[in-house]
Amino acid sequence: MEQSQPRSFWRRDVFSTHHKVIAIQYLLTGVMFLAVGGVMALLIRWQLAAPWQPVPIIGKLLFREAGGAITPEAYPMLFTMHGSIMVFFAVTPILLGALGNYTIPLEVGARDMAFPRLNMVSYWFLFLGSASMLASFFVPGGAAGFGWTIYAPLSASTEMLPGWGQDLFILGLALDAVSILMGGINYITTIMQLRAPGLTLRRLPLTLWGLFYSAVLNTLWLPIVASALFMVLCDRRLGTAFFLAGPLAPHAGGQVLLYQHLFWGFGHPEVYILIFPVWGLVGDLLSVFSRKPAFGYKATVLSMLTITILSGIVWGHHMFTSGMNPLVGKAFMFLTITVSVPTAIFFLNWLGTLWRSAIRLTVPMLFTLGVVFVFAIGGLTGLFNALQTFDVYIHDTYFVVGHFHYTLAASVLFGTFAFIYFWFPKIFGRQMSSRLGKLHFWLSFVFLNAVFSVMMFVGLHGHMRRIADATAYEFLKPVQHWNVFIGWAALGLGLSQLLFFFNFLYSLFRGTPAPANPWEAGSLAWTVPSPPPEHNYDAVPRIWCGPHEYGVPGLNNGDWLSQTDPRAKALAKS
Amino acid sequence: MQQWGFPVDISTTGYRVDRLFWLALWLTGIAFALVVGALTYFLICYRARSDRRAYYTHGDSHGAISLTGGLALLVFLLIDVNLAYHDHAAWQAVWGAPPSAKEALRVEIMPEQFAWNIRYAGPDGVFRTADDVTTINQLHVPINRPVIVQLSSKDVIHSFFLPNLRIKMDAVPGMVTSLYFQAKTSGTYDIACAEHCGFGHYRMRGFLVVESREAFTTWMVGQSKARPPDSSWGWNWGGAA
Ligand SMILES: [Cu+2]
Ligand SMILES: [Cu+2]
């Protein structure tokens, strides 16, 4: 395992095989795309609030030919690229790439991931994928415009969308899928094989359990969506007709619905792929900052396992109006709402952790509590979408958009911030400003809820998603002023993130130096200096207890035990 | 009938959908209030103080597990099963009892980018004959009479959405899908496309005109039958015909 220190800048900081360097590469890539996707969201909200009006300030730069206004052709590109970039190039790199790569080896007591070279290749596949995505903006015909769900036959026929931007998009996603797959194999192997002596599965931090199940889901389902994308590409360019049917391709005899089954077979697990690392992180952080062991650890892990299994058999709830047999729909409805049972156990265990605890309201704790709040809304509104009869009405409306932004955007974004504020001192050896962090939290919390709850409200009124101009419809006139409201709230949300970017950059260079364990956290990573040395551990650590030993009675100094504290031996015996 | 938050309901069954929403809102609202209430209470009562230490428990005792399991079971029975039961009943009313082909008006809709091609069987009651009536974006139906719509698509997937009747159904190339409804209020209402179908998706608007039987008949007679039957649609209605 001993690695010689690479000398040149290129081998050390660019084509690095080292997990901490790769994690930072993922983090910076993800945060950059978070900003790109965020600006696109603001452009979308501008168009909906003031249809066809020139975009202020940046309009002249982006949409020169149209006098600064978003055209009907440009609008689908915006919502397609916003969705895909956020899901696959912002959140996935941050929550799997950065959180996974940084924490897994440190928390299991290893010097690197199980396959360091595979890890490097994984990042560079993401890089190539991002390059392909970004390049699609500059080819004739522009970027992809079929929506992030890439529904055939709109996506599968060059008669519909002829430009090469569509193909570059599919290529970019496929490269990213390969990247995530390689990462997933690495995470599973490292967690299973490289744990330090004494670190039994019951003593893993919950974050690692979240990353583990997330990686399992990725390795199971990503190949399916990648194949489906490849089939779309073949339909477009090689004359096949997997997903082409009807008058558009009279002799093709393909199956349009097959694409949706393949896509959502992955698409629903994707929700849990993104949320599991956050749930795990929430479990750990609630414990650290309430100075109390994680409540019902085993039940939490088993709930995650249950959801991992259930998530693979509920995809049909995206297809209630697709022409699928209603009886099949009924089965999908019932399986979907059953997910609320393990989810309820999750929430009860989080509340159980806080019960009779000693809460420290730090910035990462605020974001963690924020996740609990917004995920309660996201999860409960999921029930509405699962109900077949009601879903037929709100399917493809802003009700769905608001709902999945609560689960994917709000929860995952707060989880991302909890991750960054919590791990920043370990990663960079400096503290972030807690005053700015608190301001960032409260502004984000207010604006984010304003944006996504009002989206659900206009959706209840029937407001379709992916339409460029709601004023074209009589029945939507009464809610158009809410589109203006969302526009302002989204602008507020966007501007609040400047606080984060400033705090991040300022603290990177000027923050107060961080001690090894600023949060008094019990898990293994906090026993090494901040930032950790290249090889992480001088000797293989020996683990004596779980990562959540806070509020331990009968200790002379402090209220907690580190996982390497030999005093825990006595604890295990008693 | 106007419900808060919804567009006007002009159908005989739309209220079932709206009621389902209110039931789900009540049940999930109570669950949400309990979670946020507990969260707030704990945040106020259990702040870190120098003189107090957290209660040391891993929450893995039999009592804790039975309590968590019991509450999760309550969620399952009171929310999940309850909602599934009511959804089933609503489904039966909205989708499960199609009218007989004799009493109903039959319409075929074949959307394309970005318009709704609409076809009536004409006086002989048989599709794909010379007296078929075709219109674009104008769906006229008589009030208080059931209507059965069959859908397919000329190019990509569209979704036939009637917000004032709380129903929608995808129009999928290579497949025939269907829905039925009965309108009880006359007037002109929106038809919207709910599935992204290209850059003109937002303006793929049609009009549903609900009118008296007499007005409907007069309108039908005045429609041109000029468009020749098009081989790609005007399909066999099978048992429904
Ligand atoms: Cu889903
Ligand atoms: Cu359409």
Side-chain angles (χ1 to χ4, degrees), chain B residues 204-228:
Chain B
M204 193 164 157
R205 181 190 186 193
F207 299 91
L208 171 72
V209 180
V210 183
E211 56 198 2
S212 68
R213 194 162 285 236
E214 298 72 43
F216 174 72
T217 315
T218 320
W219 172 81
M220 187 67 103
V221 170
Q223 288 304 299
S224 74
K225 299 172 183 69
R227 276 170 65 119

PDB file of all heavy atoms in Angstrom, chain B residues 204-228:
ATOM      1  N   MET B 204     -49.132  24.550 -27.767  1.00  0.00           N
ATOM      2  CA  MET B 204     -49.961  23.484 -28.323  1.00  0.00           C
ATOM      3  C   MET B 204     -51.295  23.474 -27.584  1.00  0.00           C
ATOM      4  O   MET B 204     -51.621  22.571 -26.839  1.00  0.00           O
ATOM      5  CB  MET B 204     -49.236  22.144 -28.166  1.00  0.00           C
ATOM      6  CG  MET B 204     -49.867  21.053 -28.991  1.00  0.00           C
ATOM      7  SD  MET B 204     -48.759  19.689 -29.152  1.00  0.00           S
ATOM      8  CE  MET B 204     -49.938  18.393 -29.486  1.00  0.00           C
ATOM      9  N   ARG B 205     -52.050  24.538 -27.817  1.00  0.00           N
ATOM     10  CA  ARG B 205     -53.272  24.737 -27.069  1.00  0.00           C
ATOM     11  C   ARG B 205     -54.472  24.402 -27.938  1.00  0.00           C
ATOM     12  O   ARG B 205     -54.495  24.695 -29.136  1.00  0.00           O
ATOM     13  CB  ARG B 205     -53.358  26.209 -26.659  1.00  0.00           C
ATOM     14  CG  ARG B 205     -54.567  26.571 -25.859  1.00  0.00           C
ATOM     15  CD  ARG B 205     -54.657  28.089 -25.742  1.00  0.00           C
ATOM     16  NE  ARG B 205     -55.736  28.468 -24.860  1.00  0.00           N
ATOM     17  CZ  ARG B 205     -56.204  29.705 -24.776  1.00  0.00           C
ATOM     18  NH1 ARG B 205     -55.674  30.673 -25.499  1.00  0.00           N
ATOM     19  NH2 ARG B 205     -57.195  29.986 -23.961  1.00  0.00           N
ATOM     20  N   GLY B 206     -55.456  23.739 -27.356  1.00  0.00           N
ATOM     21  CA  GLY B 206     -56.701  23.477 -28.071  1.00  0.00           C
ATOM     22  C   GLY B 206     -57.868  24.021 -27.274  1.00  0.00           C
ATOM     23  O   GLY B 206     -57.677  24.579 -26.178  1.00  0.00           O
ATOM     24  N   PHE B 207     -59.075  23.908 -27.835  1.00  0.00           N
ATOM     25  CA  PHE B 207     -60.236  24.449 -27.138  1.00  0.00           C
ATOM     26  C   PHE B 207     -61.301  23.370 -26.998  1.00  0.00           C
ATOM     27  O   PHE B 207     -61.653  22.709 -27.970  1.00  0.00           O
ATOM     28  CB  PHE B 207     -60.791  25.650 -27.903  1.00  0.00           C
ATOM     29  CG  PHE B 207     -59.784  26.753 -28.014  1.00  0.00           C
ATOM     30  CD1 PHE B 207     -58.919  26.810 -29.100  1.00  0.00           C
ATOM     31  CD2 PHE B 207     -59.664  27.690 -27.008  1.00  0.00           C
ATOM     32  CE1 PHE B 207     -57.959  27.794 -29.194  1.00  0.00           C
ATOM     33  CE2 PHE B 207     -58.708  28.690 -27.092  1.00  0.00           C
ATOM     34  CZ  PHE B 207     -57.850  28.748 -28.180  1.00  0.00           C
ATOM     35  N   LEU B 208     -61.766  23.221 -25.796  1.00  0.00           N
ATOM     36  CA  LEU B 208     -62.871  22.319 -25.535  1.00  0.00           C
ATOM     37  C   LEU B 208     -64.130  23.173 -25.430  1.00  0.00           C
ATOM     38  O   LEU B 208     -64.223  24.030 -24.542  1.00  0.00           O
ATOM     39  CB  LEU B 208     -62.634  21.562 -24.227  1.00  0.00           C
ATOM     40  CG  LEU B 208     -63.812  20.743 -23.715  1.00  0.00           C
ATOM     41  CD1 LEU B 208     -64.027  19.505 -24.574  1.00  0.00           C
ATOM     42  CD2 LEU B 208     -63.598  20.340 -22.262  1.00  0.00           C
ATOM     43  N   VAL B 209     -65.056  22.965 -26.357  1.00  0.00           N
ATOM     44  CA  VAL B 209     -66.289  23.744 -26.329  1.00  0.00           C
ATOM     45  C   VAL B 209     -67.428  22.829 -25.890  1.00  0.00           C
ATOM     46  O   VAL B 209     -67.754  21.863 -26.577  1.00  0.00           O
ATOM     47  CB  VAL B 209     -66.596  24.358 -27.711  1.00  0.00           C
ATOM     48  CG1 VAL B 209     -67.888  25.174 -27.653  1.00  0.00           C
ATOM     49  CG2 VAL B 209     -65.429  25.223 -28.166  1.00  0.00           C
ATOM     50  N   VAL B 210     -67.959  23.118 -24.707  1.00  0.00           N
ATOM     51  CA  VAL B 210     -69.081  22.345 -24.193  1.00  0.00           C
ATOM     52  C   VAL B 210     -70.348  23.129 -24.502  1.00  0.00           C
ATOM     53  O   VAL B 210     -70.474  24.290 -24.111  1.00  0.00           O
ATOM     54  CB  VAL B 210     -68.952  22.127 -22.673  1.00  0.00           C
ATOM     55  CG1 VAL B 210     -70.103  21.262 -22.170  1.00  0.00           C
ATOM     56  CG2 VAL B 210     -67.615  21.507 -22.328  1.00  0.00           C
ATOM     57  N   GLU B 211     -71.275  22.517 -25.275  1.00  0.00           N
ATOM     58  CA  GLU B 211     -72.461  23.269 -25.703  1.00  0.00           C
ATOM     59  C   GLU B 211     -73.692  22.355 -25.699  1.00  0.00           C
ATOM     60  O   GLU B 211     -73.573  21.141 -25.541  1.00  0.00           O
ATOM     61  CB  GLU B 211     -72.235  23.862 -27.097  1.00  0.00           C
ATOM     62  CG  GLU B 211     -71.872  22.818 -28.140  1.00  0.00           C
ATOM     63  CD  GLU B 211     -71.236  23.416 -29.391  1.00  0.00           C
ATOM     64  OE1 GLU B 211     -71.041  24.639 -29.440  1.00  0.00           O
ATOM     65  OE2 GLU B 211     -70.929  22.648 -30.304  1.00  0.00           O
ATOM     66  N   SER B 212     -74.829  22.961 -25.898  1.00  0.00           N
ATOM     67  CA  SER B 212     -76.082  22.199 -25.886  1.00  0.00           C
ATOM     68  C   SER B 212     -76.104  21.226 -27.058  1.00  0.00           C
ATOM     69  O   SER B 212     -75.387  21.395 -28.042  1.00  0.00           O
ATOM     70  CB  SER B 212     -77.275  23.149 -25.994  1.00  0.00           C
ATOM     71  OG  SER B 212     -77.277  23.733 -27.279  1.00  0.00           O
ATOM     72  N   ARG B 213     -76.968  20.220 -26.944  1.00  0.00           N
ATOM     73  CA  ARG B 213     -77.073  19.211 -27.979  1.00  0.00           C
ATOM     74  C   ARG B 213     -77.383  19.850 -29.350  1.00  0.00           C
ATOM     75  O   ARG B 213     -76.798  19.490 -30.361  1.00  0.00           O
ATOM     76  CB  ARG B 213     -78.189  18.231 -27.593  1.00  0.00           C
ATOM     77  CG  ARG B 213     -78.210  16.954 -28.382  1.00  0.00           C
ATOM     78  CD  ARG B 213     -79.034  15.911 -27.655  1.00  0.00           C
ATOM     79  NE  ARG B 213     -78.299  15.361 -26.513  1.00  0.00           N
ATOM     80  CZ  ARG B 213     -78.074  14.045 -26.360  1.00  0.00           C
ATOM     81  NH1 ARG B 213     -78.534  13.196 -27.240  1.00  0.00           N
ATOM     82  NH2 ARG B 213     -77.410  13.605 -25.322  1.00  0.00           N
ATOM     83  N   GLU B 214     -78.291  20.851 -29.321  1.00  0.00           N
ATOM     84  CA  GLU B 214     -78.699  21.499 -30.575  1.00  0.00           C
ATOM     85  C   GLU B 214     -77.518  22.244 -31.184  1.00  0.00           C
ATOM     86  O   GLU B 214     -77.206  22.101 -32.370  1.00  0.00           O
ATOM     87  CB  GLU B 214     -79.854  22.491 -30.337  1.00  0.00           C
ATOM     88  CG  GLU B 214     -81.142  21.866 -29.800  1.00  0.00           C
ATOM     89  CD  GLU B 214     -81.015  21.424 -28.329  1.00  0.00           C
ATOM     90  OE1 GLU B 214     -80.427  22.200 -27.533  1.00  0.00           O
ATOM     91  OE2 GLU B 214     -81.470  20.312 -27.997  1.00  0.00           O
ATOM     92  N   ALA B 215     -76.843  23.023 -30.352  1.00  0.00           N
ATOM     93  CA  ALA B 215     -75.704  23.801 -30.848  1.00  0.00           C
ATOM     94  C   ALA B 215     -74.631  22.872 -31.402  1.00  0.00           C
ATOM     95  O   ALA B 215     -74.013  23.155 -32.435  1.00  0.00           O
ATOM     96  CB  ALA B 215     -75.126  24.659 -29.727  1.00  0.00           C
ATOM     97  N   PHE B 216     -74.443  21.751 -30.729  1.00  0.00           N
ATOM     98  CA  PHE B 216     -73.431  20.789 -31.174  1.00  0.00           C
ATOM     99  C   PHE B 216     -73.778  20.231 -32.552  1.00  0.00           C
ATOM    100  O   PHE B 216     -72.937  20.174 -33.447  1.00  0.00           O
ATOM    101  CB  PHE B 216     -73.321  19.652 -30.155  1.00  0.00           C
ATOM    102  CG  PHE B 216     -72.403  18.546 -30.594  1.00  0.00           C
ATOM    103  CD1 PHE B 216     -71.025  18.736 -30.608  1.00  0.00           C
ATOM    104  CD2 PHE B 216     -72.913  17.319 -31.010  1.00  0.00           C
ATOM    105  CE1 PHE B 216     -70.173  17.725 -31.023  1.00  0.00           C
ATOM    106  CE2 PHE B 216     -72.061  16.306 -31.421  1.00  0.00           C
ATOM    107  CZ  PHE B 216     -70.692  16.512 -31.428  1.00  0.00           C
ATOM    108  N   THR B 217     -75.060  19.853 -32.731  1.00  0.00           N
ATOM    109  CA  THR B 217     -75.501  19.296 -34.014  1.00  0.00           C
ATOM    110  C   THR B 217     -75.327  20.328 -35.130  1.00  0.00           C
ATOM    111  O   THR B 217     -74.826  20.018 -36.210  1.00  0.00           O
ATOM    112  CB  THR B 217     -76.972  18.862 -33.924  1.00  0.00           C
ATOM    113  OG1 THR B 217     -77.151  18.155 -32.697  1.00  0.00           O
ATOM    114  CG2 THR B 217     -77.345  17.970 -35.084  1.00  0.00           C
ATOM    115  N   THR B 218     -75.728  21.552 -34.862  1.00  0.00           N
ATOM    116  CA  THR B 218     -75.592  22.611 -35.858  1.00  0.00           C
ATOM    117  C   THR B 218     -74.128  22.792 -36.240  1.00  0.00           C
ATOM    118  O   THR B 218     -73.782  22.914 -37.416  1.00  0.00           O
ATOM    119  CB  THR B 218     -76.127  23.944 -35.284  1.00  0.00           C
ATOM    120  OG1 THR B 218     -77.298  23.680 -34.539  1.00  0.00           O
ATOM    121  CG2 THR B 218     -76.407  24.947 -36.390  1.00  0.00           C
ATOM    122  N   TRP B 219     -73.273  22.805 -35.212  1.00  0.00           N
ATOM    123  CA  TRP B 219     -71.835  22.999 -35.475  1.00  0.00           C
ATOM    124  C   TRP B 219     -71.303  21.864 -36.349  1.00  0.00           C
ATOM    125  O   TRP B 219     -70.584  22.086 -37.313  1.00  0.00           O
ATOM    126  CB  TRP B 219     -71.090  23.047 -34.141  1.00  0.00           C
ATOM    127  CG  TRP B 219     -69.591  23.053 -34.304  1.00  0.00           C
ATOM    128  CD1 TRP B 219     -68.800  24.128 -34.602  1.00  0.00           C
ATOM    129  CD2 TRP B 219     -68.710  21.925 -34.200  1.00  0.00           C
ATOM    130  NE1 TRP B 219     -67.489  23.751 -34.687  1.00  0.00           N
ATOM    131  CE2 TRP B 219     -67.399  22.398 -34.435  1.00  0.00           C
ATOM    132  CE3 TRP B 219     -68.907  20.576 -33.912  1.00  0.00           C
ATOM    133  CZ2 TRP B 219     -66.290  21.569 -34.408  1.00  0.00           C
ATOM    134  CZ3 TRP B 219     -67.796  19.734 -33.888  1.00  0.00           C
ATOM    135  CH2 TRP B 219     -66.503  20.237 -34.132  1.00  0.00           C
ATOM    136  N   MET B 220     -71.698  20.666 -36.031  1.00  0.00           N
ATOM    137  CA  MET B 220     -71.210  19.486 -36.734  1.00  0.00           C
ATOM    138  C   MET B 220     -71.588  19.548 -38.218  1.00  0.00           C
ATOM    139  O   MET B 220     -70.759  19.252 -39.090  1.00  0.00           O
ATOM    140  CB  MET B 220     -71.816  18.246 -36.078  1.00  0.00           C
ATOM    141  CG  MET B 220     -71.285  16.935 -36.594  1.00  0.00           C
ATOM    142  SD  MET B 220     -69.560  16.724 -36.161  1.00  0.00           S
ATOM    143  CE  MET B 220     -69.686  15.592 -34.814  1.00  0.00           C
ATOM    144  N   VAL B 221     -72.815  19.968 -38.481  1.00  0.00           N
ATOM    145  CA  VAL B 221     -73.281  20.042 -39.870  1.00  0.00           C
ATOM    146  C   VAL B 221     -72.457  21.074 -40.643  1.00  0.00           C
ATOM    147  O   VAL B 221     -72.121  20.885 -41.810  1.00  0.00           O
ATOM    148  CB  VAL B 221     -74.789  20.387 -39.904  1.00  0.00           C
ATOM    149  CG1 VAL B 221     -75.231  20.722 -41.329  1.00  0.00           C
ATOM    150  CG2 VAL B 221     -75.593  19.226 -39.358  1.00  0.00           C
ATOM    151  N   GLY B 222     -72.102  22.151 -39.948  1.00  0.00           N
ATOM    152  CA  GLY B 222     -71.366  23.224 -40.616  1.00  0.00           C
ATOM    153  C   GLY B 222     -69.903  22.902 -40.878  1.00  0.00           C
ATOM    154  O   GLY B 222     -69.217  23.647 -41.570  1.00  0.00           O
ATOM    155  N   GLN B 223     -69.407  21.796 -40.323  1.00  0.00           N
ATOM    156  CA  GLN B 223     -67.988  21.482 -40.497  1.00  0.00           C
ATOM    157  C   GLN B 223     -67.706  20.885 -41.865  1.00  0.00           C
ATOM    158  O   GLN B 223     -68.505  20.115 -42.391  1.00  0.00           O
ATOM    159  CB  GLN B 223     -67.545  20.472 -39.423  1.00  0.00           C
ATOM    160  CG  GLN B 223     -67.445  21.089 -38.048  1.00  0.00           C
ATOM    161  CD  GLN B 223     -66.525  22.290 -38.021  1.00  0.00           C
ATOM    162  OE1 GLN B 223     -65.348  22.181 -38.320  1.00  0.00           O
ATOM    163  NE2 GLN B 223     -67.065  23.452 -37.674  1.00  0.00           N
ATOM    164  N   SER B 224     -66.580  21.230 -42.439  1.00  0.00           N
ATOM    165  CA  SER B 224     -66.223  20.699 -43.755  1.00  0.00           C
ATOM    166  C   SER B 224     -65.851  19.229 -43.630  1.00  0.00           C
ATOM    167  O   SER B 224     -65.303  18.785 -42.627  1.00  0.00           O
ATOM    168  CB  SER B 224     -65.043  21.467 -44.322  1.00  0.00           C
ATOM    169  OG  SER B 224     -63.872  21.085 -43.627  1.00  0.00           O
ATOM    170  N   LYS B 225     -66.182  18.482 -44.651  1.00  0.00           N
ATOM    171  CA  LYS B 225     -65.741  17.097 -44.690  1.00  0.00           C
ATOM    172  C   LYS B 225     -64.696  16.952 -45.781  1.00  0.00           C
ATOM    173  O   LYS B 225     -64.488  15.888 -46.342  1.00  0.00           O
ATOM    174  CB  LYS B 225     -66.936  16.181 -44.951  1.00  0.00           C
ATOM    175  CG  LYS B 225     -67.968  16.301 -43.859  1.00  0.00           C
ATOM    176  CD  LYS B 225     -69.252  15.567 -44.173  1.00  0.00           C
ATOM    177  CE  LYS B 225     -70.257  15.776 -43.077  1.00  0.00           C
ATOM    178  NZ  LYS B 225     -70.755  17.180 -43.028  1.00  0.00           N
ATOM    179  N   ALA B 226     -64.019  18.070 -46.054  1.00  0.00           N
ATOM    180  CA  ALA B 226     -63.136  18.121 -47.216  1.00  0.00           C
ATOM    181  C   ALA B 226     -61.916  17.232 -47.056  1.00  0.00           C
ATOM    182  O   ALA B 226     -61.451  16.644 -48.015  1.00  0.00           O
ATOM    183  CB  ALA B 226     -62.689  19.557 -47.458  1.00  0.00           C
ATOM    184  N   ARG B 227     -61.413  17.147 -45.819  1.00  0.00           N
ATOM    185  CA  ARG B 227     -60.176  16.381 -45.655  1.00  0.00           C
ATOM    186  C   ARG B 227     -60.428  14.902 -45.945  1.00  0.00           C
ATOM    187  O   ARG B 227     -61.274  14.289 -45.316  1.00  0.00           O
ATOM    188  CB  ARG B 227     -59.645  16.562 -44.240  1.00  0.00           C
ATOM    189  CG  ARG B 227     -58.810  17.816 -44.090  1.00  0.00           C
ATOM    190  CD  ARG B 227     -58.515  18.093 -42.657  1.00  0.00           C
ATOM    191  NE  ARG B 227     -57.676  17.033 -42.083  1.00  0.00           N
ATOM    192  CZ  ARG B 227     -56.466  17.256 -41.582  1.00  0.00           C
ATOM    193  NH1 ARG B 227     -55.971  18.462 -41.566  1.00  0.00           N
ATOM    194  NH2 ARG B 227     -55.779  16.275 -41.063  1.00  0.00           N
ATOM    195  N   PRO B 228     -59.686  14.304 -46.889  1.00  0.00           N
ATOM    196  CA  PRO B 228     -59.914  12.891 -47.188  1.00  0.00           C
ATOM    197  C   PRO B 228     -59.491  12.020 -45.998  1.00  0.00           C
ATOM    198  O   PRO B 228     -58.599  12.409 -45.259  1.00  0.00           O
ATOM    199  CB  PRO B 228     -59.003  12.647 -48.392  1.00  0.00           C
ATOM    200  CG  PRO B 228     -57.955  13.682 -48.306  1.00  0.00           C
ATOM    201  CD  PRO B 228     -58.551  14.864 -47.613  1.00  0.00           C
TER     202      PRO B 228
END
